[in-house]
Amino acid sequence: MPDKGILLPFYLVVDVSYSMSGHRIDQANLILPAVADALAQAPILSDKVRFGVLDFSDDAQVVLPLSDMAGEDVLPKLTVRGGTDFGAAFRTLRERIQQDVGQLRADGFKVHRPAVFFLSDGEPRHGWEADFTALTAYDRTTRTGFQWYPVVVPCGVGDAGRDTMRRLVHPYGKSKLYMMSNGADAAEAIKAMAEVLISSVLASGQSAVDGESGFVLPDASRLPSGIDVDDDWLD
Amino acid sequence: MADLSVSRPGPWDSPPRHAASEPPRHAAPDPGETGEKAGQSVEAAETAEIWPVLLPDKHRPADPDASRPPSTIGDPGRAHAEVRPRLRADPSQPPDTVSDHGTAGALDVRAASVRGLSHRESGAPRQDAYGLAVTADERFLIVAVADGVSAGPLSHVAASFVARRGPRDVARRLDSGVAPGSLPWPEIFTALAGTIIAEGARSLCRAEPARYAATAPSEEEVAAAMATTATFLVCPVGPALGAVREVQVAWLGDSPVWALDPAGGWHNLSAIKGFGEEVGSSGVVALPQVPRDPADLPHACCPVPDDWTLLVMTDGTGDPLGPGQGEVAARLAGWWRRPPPPLLFTEQVGFGRRSYDDDRTVVAVWPSGARDPG
């Protein structure tokens, strides 16, 4: 019986290929504590938000299972390994969402469509497209595909290609592409992405408090420096 | 230490004593206490006589009454324990919590409206309201519950209009001889909408005098600034005829009316088919808008057994109650099958449950049958 209230699941998916070494991974490792701090100060929102972290290189791993972040004294760390396989990330993500949302629903929660912040700094290995389709495609009329497909918000830094990342924006209208600005520092851009992520988590939680639809991205006019947002879509 | 609460009151109800020479007031076990249990009691009492001034609070034995947890259902979440409510410093805002209790004829009534955790945290006013009236001939109780739409910054004003004016208007019509089943609900809701538009325009002018200096606010501007649901219950207060009480229910928006049977079963009176008309499909859910076709205003006449509890509520309670079958439904049924002490009822209306942080309002009516022991 869904009488346990509404939950908004957020996933952060971080590229941990070798190119992320150094400042980039250090900066990425500051994201999780910052999210935890933000939620610690917002008990009303934290009651509605679940947060999980996956990393990926040649394979993908669950770094932090979807959690309410309360009482997480020791937060896991990301470490670099291997190459950049988007497909592995999308496959693992789909499995996790299937399992997490299924479990939360079985526990009596109303679950909002999950949001995924997908952070990468490089061009992926070929052949990820089918896995992305399996993660995101759903036909409402025939009910085929992945019913609990997430909103995917790509965040590109470093050598991530704008054209590739743009293909990850899903669905159009709800998501946007965040890219490192030309000439910016990748670690600084990751920091800026973290700000976007936290703003989104808080704004989305507040939207749920206000009885509205849920997932919200921050206003483009308040974008931190070092990144730009690309939402000028012609469908 | 656990026995402290069993064998005697806590040691903190009199000032700490240093004088070991004084008679050991607590040392003697109760006559009924024997053996090991009583022995522990003596030991605990001696400890307590000496230590209270030396120990920090957290080491004191808990006072069983003071430490009773506030009402929660399931996982209360963090907000229930951690939100620091902002004090209502603006006297024009409604109080954080209001409650009433009393009898009307054969009815026992409890009412409470409690600001939600999110409004407490942000300092926004409680947007729920309730109102009660009894007809001059003391034959009918009228209950109104209103839930201000959160998008409107002055919706609490609209809710308060409905709660104040609505029951009075219905009472006046009943006093003029209209039968409860013939109450002209479209007219009543339309009159309330007119009140909101007229008084709301004045409120807007007061709130933003510069903006409305030249031209008065339009109806659309008032409706954007304040909107509210309205749900009415009209209940005869006399002894039930044939153990059934015929009540009238009318509503605009999502504030439901429920009945609770003695077995703990929940019965929705405001939307279930078979009790009356179906919910209108006009899409209008809040005053001052009213459906274009008055027939779209849902109302129902419900025969209710005299040992059932009637509950008019806003969705702050209606949402966690859901379809009346889950954990919340079971707990509220346990709490509210009989009238609880009034302030306990108010506390229960504000029960903690993860992610439910909306304002809550419940008016509960226990007909005489529900008060009999059993």
Side-chain angles (χ1 to χ4, degrees):
Chain A
M1 196 55 58
D3 69 340
K4 279 199 187 157
I6 193 165
L7 284 184
L8 291 92
F10 281 83
Y11 293 88
L12 171 64
V13 181
V14 186
D15 183 343
V16 291
S17 60
Y18 282 125
S19 58
M20 284 284 288
S21 304
H23 290 318
R24 295 180 185 182
I25 201 75
D26 290 346
Q27 203 62 54
N29 269 318
L30 296 178
I31 298 177
L32 194 47
V35 171
D37 284 350
L39 288 178
Q41 290 162 24
I44 291 204
L45 306 186
S46 90
D47 280 349
K48 295 183 192 287
V49 168
R50 294 286 163 98
F51 196 81
V53 180
L54 275 66
D55 71 10
F56 73 96
S57 68
D58 300 321
D59 62 350
Q61 293 174 8
V62 175
V63 178
L64 176 76
L66 198 66
S67 138
D68 63 5
M69 305 284 283
E72 300 275 348
D73 290 337
V74 183
L75 294 168
K77 287 263 179 201
L78 302 161
T79 48
V80 296
R81 61 174 194 272
T84 305
D85 184 353
F86 282 8
F90 299 144
R91 284 193 302 275
T92 305
L93 191 54
R94 190 187 191 285
E95 283 167 24
R96 291 310 309 180
I97 291 175
Q98 180 89 48
Q99 193 176 328
D100 293 343
V101 173
Q103 185 62 53
L104 291 171
R105 284 164 56 95
D107 289 346
F109 290 100
K110 264 165 97 173
V111 183
H112 197 273
R113 187 168 300 290
V116 173
F117 282 78
F118 187 88
L119 175 65
S120 177
D121 75 336
E123 280 293 296
R125 199 171 294 159
H126 288 296
W128 53 269
E129 291 85 351
D131 291 311
F132 186 71
T133 302
L135 173 70
T136 54
Y138 180 64
D139 185 330
R140 275 177 201 279
T141 48
T142 60
R143 300 190 167 203
T144 49
F146 188 35
Q147 185 187 0
W148 298 332
Y149 69 86
V151 177
V152 181
V153 183
C155 306
V157 301
D159 298 328
R162 189 175 285 266
D163 290 339
T164 304
M165 296 301 277
R166 183 174 286 158
R167 292 167 70 188
L168 306 186
V169 174
H170 185 86
Y172 290 147
K174 271 198 168 180
S175 177
K176 297 172 183 175
L177 166 64
Y178 291 89
M179 285 297 289
M180 181 176 87
S181 306
N182 282 336
D185 173 65
E188 284 302 307
I190 291 172
K191 189 176 165 186
M193 299 295 184
E195 286 179 40
V196 170
L197 165 64
I198 289 167
S199 301
S200 171
V201 168
L202 297 182
S204 303
Q206 188 59 47
S207 155
V209 168
D210 295 340
E212 281 158 32
S213 70
F215 180 71
V216 182
L217 283 167
D219 195 82
S221 64
R222 290 160 59 187
L223 207 59
S225 64
I227 59 176
D228 58 67
V229 61
D230 184 340
D231 62 352
D232 191 14
W233 303 110
L234 300 173
D235 283 352
Chain B
M1 287 300 210
D3 277 331
L4 279 174
S5 62
V6 176
S7 57
R8 58 180 187 77
W12 323 119
D13 47 9
S14 61
R17 300 155 187 234
H18 302 284
S21 60
E22 273 190 51
R25 190 168 64 107
H26 299 304
D30 290 345
E33 298 269 355
T34 52
E36 203 175 303
K37 205 174 174 185
Q40 283 176 352
S41 171
V42 170
E43 186 185 325
E46 284 170 351
T47 309
E49 291 284 39
I50 296 165
W51 289 101
V53 288
L54 303 178
L55 286 177
D57 278 353
K58 63 179 178 176
H59 291 129
R60 293 183 178 187
D63 175 337
D65 289 324
S67 65
R68 181 175 297 147
S71 302
T72 58
I73 301 178
D75 173 6
R78 282 180 53 208
H80 186 66
E82 293 179 29
V83 161
R84 288 168 56 85
R86 254 194 234 191
L87 192 65
R88 176 186 70 119
D90 176 353
S92 70
Q93 285 191 359
D96 176 272
T97 301
V98 290
S99 74
D100 278 287
H101 67 278
T103 56
L107 308 178
D108 211 339
V109 180
R110 303 275 183 276
S113 185
V114 178
R115 188 157 62 141
L117 295 174
S118 66
H119 287 161
R120 281 181 173 164
E121 184 180 59
S122 67
R126 173 170 51 86
Q127 293 174 319
D128 276 9
Y130 68 80
L132 307 166
V134 177
T135 52
D137 60 7
E138 300 195 350
R139 285 178 61 209
F140 296 99
L141 167 73
I142 301 104
V143 175
V145 157
D147 179 356
V149 174
S150 55
L154 291 176
S155 285
H156 59 286
V157 177
S160 140
F161 287 151
V162 168
R164 278 209 315 270
R165 305 284 180 86
R168 242 190 303 166
D169 183 29
V170 174
R172 201 168 43 234
R173 289 167 193 271
L174 291 168
D175 278 327
S176 75
V178 177
S182 308
L183 280 166
W185 291 110
E187 209 178 301
I188 293 166
F189 281 102
T190 305
L192 280 172
T195 302
I196 292 172
I197 298 280
E199 306 256 359
R202 281 197 275 280
S203 299
L204 266 185
C205 290
R206 274 197 301 276
E208 297 178 75
R211 182 170 165 195
Y212 297 112
T215 48
S218 67
E219 290 192 16
E220 290 71 25
E221 283 173 308
V222 175
M226 58 174 77
T228 182
T229 72
T231 296
F232 286 91
L233 169 75
V234 178
C235 182
V237 305
L241 299 171
V244 166
R245 203 173 284 275
E246 201 164 81
V247 303
Q248 308 293 325
V249 176
W251 67 98
L252 182 65
D254 57 9
S255 305
V257 184
W258 286 88
L260 177 60
D261 70 36
W266 289 87
H267 309 265
N268 187 292
L269 303 188
S270 52
I272 284 183
K273 290 178 190 175
F275 275 106
E277 296 172 20
E278 289 178 46
V279 183
S281 54
S282 61
V284 175
V285 292
L287 293 171
Q289 285 188 291
V290 282
R292 222 170 277 139
D293 181 354
D296 282 341
L297 260 174
H299 65 271
C301 171
C302 315
V304 178
D306 200 36
D307 53 356
W308 290 20
T309 310
L310 293 158
L311 300 110
V312 192
M313 59 182 70
T314 58
D315 64 351
T317 309
D319 284 354
L321 180 59
Q325 286 158 10
E327 189 181 15
V328 174
R331 183 65 64 85
L332 295 184
W335 285 346
W336 294 345
R337 283 257 315 287
R338 305 265 178 274
L343 290 180
L344 178 59
F345 176 78
T346 305
E347 210 263 340
Q348 288 166 339
V349 168
F351 67 81
R353 184 166 178 81
R354 178 186 283 261
S355 99
Y356 286 108
D357 43 35
D358 199 0
D359 297 341
R360 303 238 184 91
T361 298
V362 181
V363 179
V365 177
W366 288 269
S368 48
R371 287 206 302 278
D372 296 338

